Amino acid sequence: MPAVLLPLALLVTWDAPRLGGGLGMGGQAARVETAPERQLTGPKPPVISRADWGADEDLRSEPATYTGAARAVFIHHTGHPDDYDCADVPDMLRAMYADHVQRLGWDDLGYNFVVDKCGRIYEGRAGGVDRSVLGAHTTGFNHDSVGIAALGDFSDGELPQELLASIARVAAWKLRPGADPHGQVRLVSTNDASRYPEGTATAVDVISGHRDIFYTHCPGDGLYEALPEIRDATARLRPRPR
């Protein structure tokens, strides 16, 4: 029996907080890049484009905006049940995209990238995968960061190694040159809705979970506990300092 995807999308509680307007979740205008970035570090993995998963670009209400090269990566889950069929993922993405825009009132899909349990990587928010697109995934900390969402819940049970490996591949590719996947970086909150009041500078792990800076159980416990493994795998994929 084919999966009934739209009701599932309406039942899922997305973990990213509500977005107001087209300025990103901190409510501040983003810096606009005039040219693609030239210095990406880890190897670029295969990414399934928005066109290939069937994103309806007419749903988007604002043009893409850009921020600085990623100083941090925030790992999320989408909250879907883990037992989906990977063949159904494009339909699931279209439903999630419509929900973010039509029900939550956002201007696009919130996450920069989505990774399914089979390890396939999907372009999330529009604007170009090779550029630093300002996401809507992590209240107060969207600037100079990348949001990667694992499609599922991943609160318990054994995590697919394909999922973890692909998350690490995206992180290794998108983190700016010199970023240490095992290190920390100091970021300034742009929103009082996060764990840190607006204007507060705080040290966060370069690869963090959404729950580290927002009041949420995202990502699921199993995925959150796998963050050290993701950091290790990311570091192995990064060029070594000379």
Side-chain angles (χ1 to χ4, degrees), residues 40-56:
L40 297 174
T41 50
K44 179 179 178 179
V47 178
I48 297 171
S49 71
R50 288 170 62 94
D52 284 342
W53 61 258
D56 180 0

Side-chain angles (χ1 to χ4, degrees), residues 16-19 23-27 106 134-140 142 190-191:
R18 181 169 295 277
L19 173 67
L23 299 180
M25 302 191 70
W106 300 354
L134 180 68
H137 53 88
T138 309
T139 293
N142 290 313
T190 62
N191 192 303

Side-chain angles (χ1 to χ4, degrees), residues 118-138:
C118 294
R120 295 180 300 188
I121 302 165
Y122 298 83
E123 178 184 11
R125 201 163 181 84
V129 296
D130 291 317
R131 302 184 67 185
S132 295
V133 178
L134 180 68
H137 53 88
T138 309

Side-chain angles (χ1 to χ4, degrees), residues 212-228:
D212 291 327
I213 42 73
F214 189 73
Y215 298 102
T216 177
H217 72 289
C218 172
D221 289 343
L223 184 54
Y224 188 76
E225 291 169 4
L227 289 183

Side-chain angles (χ1 to χ4, degrees), residues 1-26:
M1 180 181 295
V4 181
L5 296 169
L6 185 56
L8 171 62
L10 296 178
L11 288 173
V12 169
T13 300
W14 310 116
D15 287 290
R18 181 169 295 277
L19 173 67
L23 299 180
M25 302 191 70

Side-chain angles (χ1 to χ4, degrees), residues 71-74 138 141 144-145 180-189 196 200-209 212-214 231:
R71 303 175 66 213
V73 168
F74 291 102
T138 309
F141 295 91
D144 301 347
S145 72
D180 178 3
H182 291 113
Q184 290 193 319
V185 63
R186 185 166 293 275
L187 301 177
V188 178
S189 174
Y196 303 95
T200 301
T202 185
V204 302
D205 291 329
V206 168
I207 298 179
S208 290
D212 291 327
I213 42 73
F214 189 73
R231 294 181 188 116

